[in-house]
């Protein structure tokens, strides 16, 4: 879920700014906090402002609404306290942000504090990335180089009657444009040609105070030249919710991260480190779970936490799906039991207004699984975190309604050959419910701290996924945090196999590592030896390895792949696709309806076929990454063995750069379009070939050869294998059909484009120009020219000869330019 990177980047928007010296380490005791009480005569009369007719609510602050204005009574003892400000969208226009911004989406989260300055109150943004002990001399430098930005400022109106709080007008914080809390980013502003915020149509809708938080809903209306939908009359209106929650004085003991176990993290820099540099470290993000009975817990008994993790179901959730959502949430109790907790996570129906009139999904005190009526096909699991310690305060999981469609289609495509339940647009409730359950479990995994573990899917032997016993016991991968949605490896003759992913052994291991309560450790540093020991116990077992799948060339961290042998898995997947295609008309037809569903499923099948190719290509020039520390034996990076790379290219020659008659099914194509199918197949082949000839991939292969010599699968060998595969008819003296002529022309054109691109980049990228890439590509075209010239007349097919003439002309043109 790509949206996860976006959410993390927003949450760190102000991470470069830090607190003053007293923040970087010890915090002043409450008794040391200066409380400045000014005589009431310096301000207005409280009774002249807050009088009859004012709507008031008591809580963290007392809030007052009067004539469209909002007032806070900020207690003296809440000045300079850490508050988490969380901005969310409550309501928004259809298709705003392209469908991936919806009701419940988080806009920002940041720590703020209220400060008194003369007769003003300032709201400042605080960050905790940089640290130093306040007693250390360097703390002065840290403070000077990490100055607090002021988010909002207002004059003090009055002092409350018992002289314990300042009354301030905060209306403009919510009715004017404050970029740090509104949903109209610069990119969206440009996209929709936003002219201005219309203050006459922007207002505060409600303000409610609770013991630990303040909730404000405010409507923002913009004049826009190009709103998301034409019928929006040049206007964009959004209802936002701002949650201001008091962070705990009793901070959770943080836990140091280790990149060998996957967790969402917070980055920190300690300037009091004994290292000869600032000490960079990371904390994991997790909920605070403390056993009720610590002694029983230490004896190995399962113990309930003092405060469990509770999720409420959105009242908008269809009733028939609620049991599956509840199961998906509470499935994690198995993993928490591995960490010594029972009933650690609980799912509940949302209370009715009679049961709890204060309940609101936007209230940061409640974690909610939201059901969004949207055509977006996705689900996300963001969370809100205390940046001081990594404690997760709250999270809202979002399920977009049309995600059902994604799983219905995928189930038909990848399991239709094997199971009757997948051969319909009306997927049986048991199967679609199980898929929804596992999607929710996956998103809960994010919400409790776990990122994607794309490496998990490569841990199991590919043929084990054809075993009913194995798949029901261990699932499709060791982690539900991988993208491995449907078992496409299983074949029609494999009875009783599980087709839908489930929680696995890595999930239990990761939760134990992150949540096990270490009562005898006083500091995060005291925990490290134990945490390291747990990792070393599992070292070398692929079931317990982590790989994010982002920014690495490790084919084992492929998205959507299955099994430890990508060639074999893709062969199994292709065999199933070839059985599915001839049945799609029957499986997608509904009386009285057209063929829109057929077109959608057929095209998605093509995308999945491309995915199988992508899994195989990743092995060519691939590098295995096994995360280790210096006390572990072996290296971190290893090139993929030559025989695996060679087999990958053989697969592509046999199945990708070839005739795709099985995919160009006339019964389907004549029902969904008048043309375009051949171009789509060509596009798939071009994409595969372009990926295979990627310059970064070839550079890795050249480096592999320099490091491993004869044991390497060289770039020259790869290019020769590809050429002989794509032009196999030339070397066998056979005629070339229309589909193969297409891919052969594509090969020459693509090679020519690569040479031209690399030549153009030579002044910008020295690695490219001094490498062997350009000479290799030119050598391949020269060799092909020689072979065509000497072998072309081994066939008497007239169209093939014309084709060869054209290929020679294309090559000559490449070298003439």
């Amino acid at each position: 879920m790509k949206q996860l990177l976006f959410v993390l980047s927003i949450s760190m928007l102000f991470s470069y700014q830090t607190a003053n010296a007293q923040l970087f380490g010890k915090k002043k005791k409450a008794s040391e906090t200066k409380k400045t009480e000014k005589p009431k005569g310096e301000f207005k009369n409280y009774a002249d402002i807050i009088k009859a007719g004012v709507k008031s609510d008591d809580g963290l602050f007392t809030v007052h609404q009067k004539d469209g204005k909002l007032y806070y009574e900020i207690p003296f003892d809440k000045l300079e306290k850490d508050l988490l400000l969380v901005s969310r969208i409550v309501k928004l226009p259809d298709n705003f942000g392209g469908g991936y911004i919806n009701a419940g989406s988080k806009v920002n989260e940041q720590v703020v504090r209220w400060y008194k300055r003369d007769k003003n109150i300032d709201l400042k943004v605080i960050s905790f990335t940089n640290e130093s002990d306040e007693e250390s001399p360097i703390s002065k430098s840290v403070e000077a180089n990490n100055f607090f930005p002021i988010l909002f400022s207002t004059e003090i109106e009055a002092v409350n009657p018992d002289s314990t709080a300042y009354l301030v007008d905060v209306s403009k914080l919510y009715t004017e444009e404050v970029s740090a809390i509104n949903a109209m980013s610069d990119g969206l502003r440009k996209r929709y040609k936003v002219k201005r915020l219309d203050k006459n149509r922007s207002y505060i809708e409600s303000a409610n105070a609770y013991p630990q938080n303040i909730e404000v809903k405010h409507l923002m209306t913009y004049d826009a030249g190009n709103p998301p939908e034409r019928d929006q009359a040049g206007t964009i209106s959004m209802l936002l919710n701002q949650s201001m929650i008091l962070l705990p004085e009793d901070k959770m003991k943080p836990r140091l991260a280790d990149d060998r176990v996957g967790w969402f993290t917070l980055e920190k820099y300690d300037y009091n480190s004994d290292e000869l540099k600032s000490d960079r470290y990371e904390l994991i993000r997790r909920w605070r779970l403390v056993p009720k009975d610590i002694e029983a817990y230490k004896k190995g008994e399962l113990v309930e936490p003092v405060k469990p993790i509770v999720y409420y179901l959105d009242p908008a959730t269809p009733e028939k799906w609620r049991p599956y959502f509840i199961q998906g949430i509470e499935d994690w109790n198995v993993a928490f039991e591995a960490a010594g907790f029972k009933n650690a996570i609980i799912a509940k129906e949302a209370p009715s207004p009679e049961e709890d009139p204060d309940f609101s999904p936007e209230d940061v005190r409640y974690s909610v699984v939201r059901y969004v009526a949207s055509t977006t096909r996705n689900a996300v699991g963001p969370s809100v975190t205390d940046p001081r310690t990594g404690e997760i305060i709250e999270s809202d999981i979002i399920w977009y309604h049309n995600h059902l469609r994604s799983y219905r289609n995928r189930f038909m495509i990848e399991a239709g050959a094997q199971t009757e339940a997948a051969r319909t647009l009306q997927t049986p409730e048991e199967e679609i419910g199980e898929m929804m359950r596992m999607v929710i479990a996956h998103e809960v995994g994010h919400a409790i701290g776990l990122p994607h573990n794309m490496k998990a899917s490569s841990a199991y032997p590919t043929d084990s996924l054809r075993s009913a016993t194995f798949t029901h016991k261990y699932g499709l991968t060791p982690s539900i945090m991988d993208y491995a949605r449907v078992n496409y490896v299983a074949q029609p003759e494999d009875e009783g196999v599980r087709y839908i992913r489930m929680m696995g052994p890595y999930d239990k291991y990761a939760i134990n590592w992150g949540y096990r309560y270490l009562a005898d450790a006083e500091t995060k540093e005291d925990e490290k030896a134990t945490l390291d020991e747990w990792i070393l116990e599992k070292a070398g077992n692929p079931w317990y390895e982590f790989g994010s799948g982002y920014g690495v060339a490790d084919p084992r961290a492929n998205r959507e792949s299955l099994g430890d042998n990508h060639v074999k898995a893709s062969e199994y997947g292709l065999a199933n696709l070839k059985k599915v295609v001839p049945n799609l008309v029957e499986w997608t037809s509904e009386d009285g309806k057209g063929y829109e569903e057929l077109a959608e499923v057929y095209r998605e099948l093509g995308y999945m076929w491309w995915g199988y190719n992508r899994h195989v290509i990743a092995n060519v020039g691939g590098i295995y990454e096994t995360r280790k520390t210096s006390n572990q034996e072996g290296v971190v990076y290893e090139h993929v063995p030559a025989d695996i790379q060679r087999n990958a290219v053989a697969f592509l020659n046999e199945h990708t750069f070839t005739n795709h008659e099985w995919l160009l099914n006339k019964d389907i194509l004549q029902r969904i379009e008048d043309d375009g199918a051949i171009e789509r197949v060509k596009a798939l082949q071009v994409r595969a070939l372009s990926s295979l000839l990627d310059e970064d991939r070839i550079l890795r292969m050249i480096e592999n050869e320099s490091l491993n010599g004869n044991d390497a699968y060289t770039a020259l060998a790869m290019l020769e294998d590809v050429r002989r595969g794509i032009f196999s008819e030339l070397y066998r003296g056979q005629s070339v059909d229309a589909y193969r002529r297409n891919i052969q022309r594509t090969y020459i054109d693509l090679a020519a484009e690569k040479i031209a691109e690399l030549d153009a980049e030579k002044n910008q990228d020295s690695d490219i120009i001094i490498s062997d890439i350009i000479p290799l590509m030119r050598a391949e075209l020269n060799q092909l020219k020689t072979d065509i010239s000497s072998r072309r007349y081994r066939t008497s097919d007239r169209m093939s000869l014309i084709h060869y003439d054209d290929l020679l002309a294309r090559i000559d043109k490449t070298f003439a330019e």
Side-chain angles (χ1 to χ4, degrees), residues 91-123:
K91 296 179 181 180
L92 74 171
D94 181 39
N95 201 38
F96 183 79
Y100 284 92
I101 302 176
N102 287 277
S105 293
K106 182 171 63 177
V107 175
N108 201 0
E109 66 177 85
Q110 55 208 306
V111 175
V112 295
R113 288 185 192 156
W114 296 97
Y115 285 87
K116 183 180 181 298
R117 174 177 55 85
D118 298 327
K119 296 183 180 181
N120 300 279
I121 293 291
D122 297 334
L123 182 65

Side-chain angles (χ1 to χ4, degrees), residues 392-409:
I392 296 174
I393 304 296
E394 177 267 359
S395 77
D396 280 343
I397 293 163
I398 301 176
W399 171 278
Y400 301 99
H401 178 74
N402 262 24
H403 209 28
L404 287 164
R405 191 171 195 162
S406 300
Y407 280 85
R408 177 202 70 177
N409 292 357

Side-chain angles (χ1 to χ4, degrees), residues 104 132 134 193 313 326 369 385 430 515 517 610 612 624 797 812:
S132 74
E134 65 179 78
K193 298 181 180 179
L313 298 192
I326 290 171
V369 179
T385 306
E430 181 179 354
Y515 279 97
Y517 188 78
W610 154 246
Y612 300 165
Y624 294 151
D797 179 66
D812 287 341

Side-chain angles (χ1 to χ4, degrees), residues 255 261-263 297 330-341 445 448 450 453 456 460 472-475 477-481 502-516 534 538 543-544:
R255 178 156 294 179
V261 187
W263 284 85
Y297 184 88
E330 296 187 344
D331 278 342
W332 281 98
N333 276 318
V334 175
F336 281 111
E337 286 173 6
F341 292 100
I448 59 179
L450 301 183
N453 182 5
Y460 291 161
H472 281 284
K473 184 175 182 179
Y474 298 112
T477 83
S479 177
I480 200 169
M481 302 314 297
M502 58 184 271
M503 200 165 294
Y506 172 86
D507 302 315
K508 299 174 185 178
Y509 159 72
I511 292 299
N512 177 68
W513 191 91
Y515 279 97
R516 170 72 60 173
W534 292 344
K538 304 294 186 183
W543 290 19
Y544 301 100

Side-chain angles (χ1 to χ4, degrees), residues 275-286:
E275 301 288 334
L276 301 180
K277 59 182 179 63
S278 59
D279 185 11
R280 179 190 175 280
Y281 68 93
E282 294 180 23
L283 302 178
I284 68 171
R285 299 173 184 243
R286 58 178 183 155

